[in-house]
């Protein structure tokens, strides 16, 4: 069974952490993954940096620019984590923009992921219809779960289509925004969380964007299965380096 | 075979809408409505009226006698440089502001490189009394001060794009991020035939007035609608899309797209996308773009800010790949020389973008009775400082 599905079947709220590979230092990748697992995180999203991350706010943009400057690229990331399954068993997802995957070769990319033990991909700019027409069979062949996003503006009809196409979880973007921590959720979010919960989707939802601390984590997971923290963790790494990852995670729960 | 976009916005293998879900509702709203709105009689009437009374259309199709004599062929110039605001850009912004109104939007965003599209957008927003925010790379703001001032005078807010390389592609990223953050009340006026479907097709349709007029005017001048060749410069490719539009599926009309080679195609400082680009995704469109082997988008270079884009519209990528279009690249030096030559021979100071199209005659020879239409996309007022520096005037 795919590690993501297994984790989702557990009776607990999921804490997922995103970080940008190659940041703050080029070789921090493996230590960050190991420390996140040790700290009790449930799921890790490894960000493949891109020069033009148009769905991201300033924090992830800056970490991506810095990671590329440090020399990060797809092949190097695969090289860094080639033995990762010897030391961790946590579900691992690669998250990035579609162009670097396209240039690497989608099939070769999927093969590599399977070999290393990557469990899923999040490629926000790979649209649902293109995925279904061109890549679904390939992803499945290599045991990769593809995660789709929904937003407060996504129609019920489209959410149902995305739910049908998903196997694993749905990435529920908390508000109409790019990534980056905000100061809590308001009534609008509560109504949206409620609306989605009432749709009784077959896939659990994990909320992302705007989650930065215990308060927002708890708000987000009141109805949803879990929540994702990205920018707040990147900020933590910027300020503290990789030495106090456990401390950061303990503040959340 | 057609060289126009299909229903899903593909030109051959190029185009489509590679967008994150956050942009889907906006693009989908536009996709479902744009053709229908453009075909409404009330829309058409207002669009035509503004093109005539406000932009100053039709622009002349001018037979350039002395230039023709020099190159021993028949050269016509389509005078888009005489449009209000100084370039063809305004054809599209007029169309899109009317589109935004029909969609009930009350806030406009745009990206700009050199500032021409920013000025054309600020202009139509002033005309309609609609709030306008223009994103411009921090570096471009510094080097295009007069256009920044124009936008401000027209009531637009100019916001600096400080991410990445701080130029046009980053301004486009920032505009897209703004749209993600303001999904309900805002319309994004993209300035070229780039971006996710339906933008390339919609912008091409608004610019298609250029070739519509060429057909009519050539009939008056030459007794035929079709030239032997139509020539235009290509950055993202909106003026070229407009000049080629009604000839795309007319194989007897040769299509010549002129790209900026900068300091030379292989100099490392170039914007010749067809020669240097590979298939990839930029700003939501699958097209040819300049990138590293790892798929990171690289920064192009051209003396002309309007051609300084690392990608090219999907229509043009298809024209290149299919062989329908002939692609020529022109260096900074060749373009500057051709620009000055037009001043001396015809009394017209062209934009440096358009000078690239004029520069092909030095090496690309035509028959004596060939009719060659060059789209003179903009005037050179904005480039005066560049001309002064280059020629030590």
């Amino acid at each position: 069974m795919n590690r993501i599905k297994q984790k989702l079947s557990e009776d607990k709220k999921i804490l997922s952490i995103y970080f940008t590979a190659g940041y703050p230092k080029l070789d921090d990748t493996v230590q960050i993954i190991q420390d996140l697992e040790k700290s009790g995180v449930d799921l890790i999203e490894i960000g493949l940096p891109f020069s033009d991350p148009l769905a991201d706010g300033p924090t992830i943009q800056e970490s991506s620019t810095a990671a590329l400057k440090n020399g990060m690229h797809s092949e190097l990331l695969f090289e860094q984590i080639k033995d990762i399954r010897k030391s961790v068993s946590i579900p691992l997802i690669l998250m990035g923009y579609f162009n670097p995957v396209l240039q690497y070769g989608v099939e070769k990319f999927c093969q590599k992921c399977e070999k290393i033990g990557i469990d899923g991909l999040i490629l926000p700019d790979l649209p649902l219809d293109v995925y279904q027409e061109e890549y679904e069979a390939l992803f499945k062949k290599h045991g990769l779960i593809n995660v789709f996003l929904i937003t407060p503006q996504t129609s019920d009809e489209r959410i149902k289509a995305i739910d049908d196409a998903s196997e694993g979880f749905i990435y529920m973007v908390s508000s109409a925004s790019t990534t980056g921590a905000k100061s809590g959720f308001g009534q609008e979010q509560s109504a949206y969380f409620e609306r989605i919960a009432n749709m009784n989707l077959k896939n659990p939802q994990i909320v992302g964007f705007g989650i930065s601390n215990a308060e927002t984590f708890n708000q987000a997971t009141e109805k949803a299965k879990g929540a994702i923290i990205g920018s707040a963790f990147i900020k933590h790494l910027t300020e503290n380096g990789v030495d106090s990852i456990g401390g950061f995670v303990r503040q959340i729960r | 075979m057609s060289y126009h976009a299909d229903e899903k916005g593909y030109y051959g293998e190029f185009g489509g809408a590679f967008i994150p879900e956050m942009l889907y509702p906006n693009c989908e709203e536009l996709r479902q409505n744009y053709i229908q709105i453009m075909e409404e009689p009330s829309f058409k009437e207002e669009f035509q009226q503004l093109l005539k009374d406000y932009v100053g259309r039709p622009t002349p199709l001018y037979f350039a006698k002395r230039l023709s004599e020099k190159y021993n062929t028949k050269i016509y110039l389509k005078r888009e440089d005489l449009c209000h605001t100084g370039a063809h850009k305004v054809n599209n912004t007029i169309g899109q502001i009317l589109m935004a109104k029909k969609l009930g939007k009350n806030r406009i965003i745009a990206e700009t490189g050199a500032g021409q599209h920013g000025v054309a957008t600020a202009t139509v927003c002033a005309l309609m009394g609609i709030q306008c925010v223009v994103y411009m790379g921090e570096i471009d703001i510094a080097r295009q001060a007069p256009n920044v001032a124009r936008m401000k005078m027209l009531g637009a807010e100019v916001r600096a794009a400080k991410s990445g390389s701080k130029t046009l592609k980053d301004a486009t990223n920032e505009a897209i991020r703004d749209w993600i953050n303001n999904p309900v009340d805002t319309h994004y006026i993209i300035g070229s035939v780039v971006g996710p479907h339906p933008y390339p097709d919609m912008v091409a349709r608004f610019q298609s007035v250029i070739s519509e007029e060429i057909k009519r005017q050539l009939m008056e001048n030459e007794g035929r609608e079709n030239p032997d060749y139509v020539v235009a410069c290509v950055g993202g490719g909106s003026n070229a899309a407009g000049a080629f539009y009604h000839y795309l599926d007319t194989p007897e009309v040769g299509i010549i797209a002129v790209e900026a080679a900068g300091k030379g195609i292989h100099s490392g400082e170039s914007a010749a996308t067809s020669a240097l680009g590979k298939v990839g995704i930029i700003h939501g469109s699958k097209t040819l773009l300049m990138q590293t082997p790892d798929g990171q988008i690289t920064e192009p270079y051209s003396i002309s800010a309007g051609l300084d884009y690392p990608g090219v519209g999907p229509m043009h990528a298809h024209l290149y790949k299919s062989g329908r279009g002939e692609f020529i690249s022109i260096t900074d030096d060749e373009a500057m020389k051709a620009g000055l030559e037009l001043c001396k021979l015809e009394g017209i100071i062209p934009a440096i973008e358009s000078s690239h199209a004029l520069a092909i005659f030095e090496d690309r020879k035509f028959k004596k009775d060939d009719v060659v239409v060059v789209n003179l996309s903009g005037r050179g007022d904005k480039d005066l400082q560049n001309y002064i520096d280059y020629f030590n005037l």
Side-chain angles (χ1 to χ4, degrees):
Chain A
M1 191 186 196
N2 182 294
R3 276 175 285 257
I4 297 171
K5 288 188 189 170
Q6 199 162 358
K7 179 58 75 177
L8 291 165
S9 70
E10 292 176 16
D11 184 23
K12 66 180 294 201
K13 296 295 183 185
I14 302 291
L15 170 61
S16 179
I17 298 279
Y18 167 94
F19 73 98
T20 306
Y23 182 85
K25 297 210 195 71
L26 183 62
D27 297 325
D28 285 336
T29 316
V30 171
Q31 194 191 333
I32 292 173
I33 294 170
Q34 290 172 343
D35 285 4
L36 284 172
E37 180 176 66
K38 256 182 256 162
S39 311
V41 165
D42 300 302
L43 208 154
I44 299 175
E45 294 168 20
I46 307 168
L48 193 58
F50 182 49
S51 55
D52 295 74
L54 48 79
D56 285 300
T59 305
I60 294 179
Q61 285 172 42
E62 281 158 26
S63 68
S64 302
T65 305
L68 292 172
K69 224 179 204 171
N70 288 343
M72 183 46 73
H73 56 86
S74 309
E75 190 67 63
L76 179 60
L77 175 61
F78 286 138
E79 181 61 29
Q80 286 179 345
I81 60 173
K82 70 177 193 303
D83 295 323
I84 198 72
R85 283 299 170 207
K86 289 180 184 160
S87 60
V88 302
S89 60
I90 188 169
L92 294 173
I93 293 179
L94 284 192
M95 180 166 187
Y97 290 81
F98 189 44
N99 195 48
V101 179
L102 200 59
Q103 301 314 315
Y104 194 86
V106 182
E107 179 149 27
K108 204 175 126 203
F109 195 92
C110 291
Q111 283 167 354
K112 204 87 187 193
C113 285
E114 184 183 18
K115 201 168 160 222
I116 290 169
I118 299 294
D119 306 290
L121 298 175
I122 306 176
L123 303 166
D125 59 345
L126 173 59
L128 178 64
D129 58 335
V130 177
Y131 168 73
Q132 288 180 316
E133 279 162 33
E134 296 181 37
Y135 301 114
E136 187 171 6
L138 190 63
F139 280 36
K140 287 193 167 157
K141 186 176 138 196
H142 294 286
L144 294 167
I145 283 176
N146 188 42
V147 178
F148 293 101
L149 277 58
I150 61 169
T151 80
Q153 271 71 41
T154 311
S155 67
D156 285 2
E157 191 190 353
R158 187 162 168 84
I159 290 174
K160 282 181 189 134
I162 286 170
D163 190 37
D164 282 342
S166 300
E167 43 155 2
F169 66 92
I170 291 175
Y171 191 129
M172 193 171 148
V173 177
S174 66
S175 59
S177 74
T178 45
T179 55
K182 275 174 256 12
S183 55
F185 296 125
Q187 274 185 347
E188 213 174 303
Q189 270 81 36
S190 303
Y192 164 57
F193 294 162
E194 181 92 33
R195 170 167 81 95
I196 303 302
N198 289 338
M199 285 183 77
N200 292 316
L201 302 174
K202 77 177 167 80
N203 291 279
Q205 306 95 49
I206 299 190
V207 180
F209 292 36
I211 294 141
S212 58
N213 51 27
E215 192 196 346
T216 41
F217 179 80
N218 291 333
Q219 279 178 310
T221 54
E222 209 172 293
K223 304 263 185 227
K225 176 73 180 169
I228 303 158
I229 298 180
S231 297
F233 182 62
I234 303 276
K235 274 185 193 151
H236 176 82
L237 291 175
T238 304
E239 286 159 18
N240 305 285
V242 294
D243 294 332
S244 57
I245 289 174
F248 176 84
V249 176
R250 277 191 296 278
Q251 287 168 31
I252 308 298
R253 66 167 188 200
Chain B
M1 174 169 185
S2 173
Y3 292 92
H4 290 276
D6 70 15
E7 219 169 84
K8 286 180 156 182
Y10 279 92
Y11 299 84
E13 65 174 299
F14 303 107
F18 292 79
I19 46 171
E21 194 60 32
M22 293 79 100
L23 287 172
Y24 182 84
N26 276 331
C27 289
E28 186 60 11
E29 180 186 30
L30 203 54
R31 188 189 70 77
Q32 284 180 2
N33 292 296
Y34 79 110
I35 290 180
Q36 199 189 332
I37 289 175
M38 286 174 82
E39 283 172 358
E40 279 172 21
S42 65
F43 181 93
K44 277 187 176 169
E45 192 183 324
E46 200 175 357
F47 183 51
Q48 296 305 335
Q49 192 73 39
L50 284 168
L51 288 183
K52 176 170 168 280
D53 297 336
Y54 189 71
V55 175
R57 303 204 71 93
T59 58
L61 183 71
Y62 165 71
F63 177 63
K65 186 161 171 283
R66 296 185 67 205
L67 195 67
S68 297
E69 275 166 13
K70 165 143 194 204
Y71 291 108
N72 205 26
T73 189
K74 290 170 97 170
I75 302 171
Y76 282 87
L77 302 177
K78 180 59 176 165
R79 298 291 310 275
E80 293 301 295
D81 60 316
L82 295 175
C83 289
H84 176 44
T85 73
H88 71 289
K89 290 285 185 192
V90 72
N91 302 327
N92 169 49
T93 59
I94 293 267
Q96 285 205 49
I97 197 86
L98 296 177
M99 180 71 64
K101 275 175 68 180
K102 290 271 183 191
L103 293 170
K105 309 287 177 178
N106 55 28
R107 179 174 177 270
I108 294 295
I109 54 171
E111 84 296 337
T112 197
Q116 290 306 104
H117 173 59
V119 168
T121 304
T123 298
V124 298
C125 287
L127 179 70
M128 297 294 169
I130 293 180
Q131 187 196 350
C132 178
V133 175
V134 179
Y135 288 90
M136 188 168 185
E138 201 171 41
I139 291 176
D140 291 332
I141 287 179
R143 62 184 179 189
Q144 305 288 341
N147 273 342
V148 176
R150 276 187 193 108
M151 286 184 268
K152 287 183 179 165
M153 288 176 74
L154 293 160
E157 179 193 342
V158 180
R159 288 192 192 161
K162 297 177 180 180
S163 59
S165 52
K166 305 179 177 65
T167 57
L168 174 60
K169 84 176 170 74
D170 309 284
T172 308
N173 291 337
E174 288 305 329
I176 291 173
R177 288 179 188 125
D178 183 307
W179 212 22
I180 287 174
N181 284 284
N182 297 283
V184 180
D185 65 337
T186 298
H187 176 72
Y188 177 19
I189 300 190
I190 295 185
S192 192
V193 287
V194 301
H197 178 58
Y199 278 101
D201 185 48
M202 180 173 71
V203 176
R205 284 168 188 255
F206 285 136
Q207 293 292 358
S208 70
V209 64
I210 299 172
S211 47
E212 195 183 306
E213 288 175 5
I214 294 174
K215 280 187 130 176
R216 205 170 55 227
Q217 292 165 323
L218 211 54
M219 182 55 98
E220 286 165 20
N221 283 295
E222 291 284 332
R224 56 170 163 140
E225 283 189 334
N226 298 339
D228 295 291
Y229 296 92
V230 53
V231 184
C233 62
V234 173
S238 69
N239 92 80
F244 300 162
Y245 194 87
H246 289 286
Y247 297 120
L248 286 172
D249 294 338
T250 311
E252 56 269 35
V253 178
I255 282 174
I256 300 180
V258 186
E259 292 183 318
K263 293 181 179 168
I265 289 183
H266 301 292
S267 65
E269 292 182 86
S270 173
T273 308
S274 69
L276 298 169
K278 276 184 61 195
V279 180
I281 312 283
I282 181 170
H283 298 137
S285 180
K286 190 180 215 181
T287 187
L288 292 170
L289 62 131
M290 292 165 57
Q291 53 184 319
T292 67
D294 190 44
Q296 310 298 339
I297 299 170
T298 54
E299 193 54 24
Y301 163 81
S302 164
I303 193 168
S304 146
L307 303 181
D308 203 353
Y309 184 69
V312 65
M315 173 199 282
H316 302 299
H318 184 49
L319 291 175
Y320 175 75
K321 205 63 181 278
S322 65
R324 172 71 182 94
E326 176 181 347
F327 279 65
I328 296 176
S329 48
I330 291 294
T331 64
D332 290 355
D333 292 339
E334 291 165 335
M336 295 305 275
K337 192 175 154 223
L340 194 61
E341 182 178 82
L342 191 74
C343 300
K344 302 252 155 96
L345 288 179
E346 299 289 348
I348 298 169
I349 302 176
I352 298 175
E353 289 80 9
S354 319
S355 299
H356 283 72
L358 294 163
I360 67 163
F361 293 103
E362 199 62 46
D363 288 329
R364 173 68 167 85
K365 295 300 166 199
F366 296 91
K367 290 200 234 65
K368 191 170 170 35
D369 57 355
D370 276 346
V371 171
V372 183
V373 175
V374 178
N375 197 34
L376 197 68
S377 56
R379 59 179 175 247
D381 308 33
K382 70 179 177 67
D383 296 316
L384 216 51
Q385 194 58 50
N386 268 326
Y387 280 122
I388 291 168
D389 294 344
Y390 188 88
F391 291 112
N392 289 315
L393 298 172

